[in-house]
Amino acid sequence: MKMKNTTKYALGILLTVAMFVLAVVVNPNAAFGGTDDLVRSIIQRINPGYSSWFAPIWEPKPEIATLLFAVQAAIGAFVIGYFVGYMRAKSKAQKEKD
Amino acid sequence: MHISEGFLPLFWCIFWYILAIPFVIWGARNVSKIYRERPEQKLTLAVAGAFIFVLSSLKLPSVTGSTSHPTGTGLAAILYGPATTALLSTIVLVFQALLLAHGGITTLGADVFSMGIVGPAVGYFAFKLLRSLRVRIGVQVFAVAVLSDLMTYVVTSLQLALAYPATGGVQESFIIFLGVFLVTQIPLAIAEGILFTIFFDYLSKSRPKLIAQQFGD
């Protein structure tokens, strides 16, 4: 059976979304803390008395951090969207010319 | 995989910087060469960088009840090689270190080494190997994304273990850190593999010539 590309893409995306939904559903009480933060407490457990010797020059408040993470994703998504649109218009123009 | 600012002893900060810098310089030379000699690749190069920007910004939930993020370095690795990927990853990591206090300037060398160098290099060589074995292209790119992602976290675990040996030595703490990172990362790496396979399929259909040019076909 040969599936259309878009069907395959949609199935793949659906599968990944399902994985994230499952992760949330099986852990109703989890805090979903970042592993990067989790490691800090492990370092202090293995090496009691270790304290960070250099503080971030600037640390955003949580809400601002969320904004800046979204900005990071938006920059990337903008470039990819530009590319997809560019290719689509290009192939369309090509077809009209033929 | 971001080691928090100030959470690596000074010796290790310098150590990883020294290992990472040559690759980043090599990557910068690659990029300027692409701009000079193959300007038609510019847009695809930007897309490879953008893929890292998007995927490394997503903190995704894992079945372990923690969140972590994919790396997105597979595309840049197979199209432009690990050195160029090191440069692109450095841009992302500097953005996150300065604006998000995610990772840090002192730990940048270590983070570039894991996410920008070893992860993509393993992906790149796995790609070469699978290609020579004539495995299906979908399987090739899936493996590249999963391996680049997972290896990044293996290296971070090793970096932390070297800096913080437990009472049972480096090996014991390596296993402790792997337990935190790797288990959480496995489902995320699979998700990254699926998304990357889709994106690569689209890319190779829309720009077949540019992809073939990069693969030397």
Side-chain angles (χ1 to χ4, degrees), chain B residues 174-195:
Chain B
F174 183 47
I175 290 165
I176 296 174
F177 287 116
L178 271 185
V180 178
F181 280 127
L182 202 58
V183 183
T184 297
Q185 202 63 26
I186 288 169
L188 304 185
I190 294 172
E192 172 168 5
I194 296 171
L195 292 177

Side-chain angles (χ1 to χ4, degrees), chain A residues 35-48:
Chain A
T35 46
D36 293 339
D37 304 321
L38 218 62
V39 157
R40 281 204 293 263
S41 60
I42 294 175
I43 290 174
Q44 265 142 355
R45 203 182 70 211
I46 295 178
N47 205 331

